[in-house]
Amino acid sequence: MARNENYSDALHRLVRALNETRIRYALTGAAAVGYYGIPRTSMDINVVFRKPLSSPT
């Protein structure tokens, strides 16, 4: 995160980048809980990525 960037800006940039690249993901932890209106004091962003399945041989 850039020095002058706040948590909300960093989260928005991350989500925008993931959406633009069409990477399938889910936000978890404090970021997800905060989205639903329950603020947390931690400033971490947890992301779970979906790994594409291998094509059958």
Side-chain angles (χ1 to χ4, degrees), residues 43-57:
M43 299 299 289
D44 59 328
I45 299 172
N46 302 74
V47 183
V48 177
F49 296 95
R50 180 175 181 198
K51 179 181 176 185
L53 297 174
S54 303
S55 46
T57 56

Side-chain angles (χ1 to χ4, degrees), residues 28-48:
T28 62
V33 172
Y35 175 81
Y36 289 102
I38 304 169
R40 300 255 321 253
T41 56
S42 63
M43 299 299 289
D44 59 328
I45 299 172
N46 302 74
V47 183
V48 177

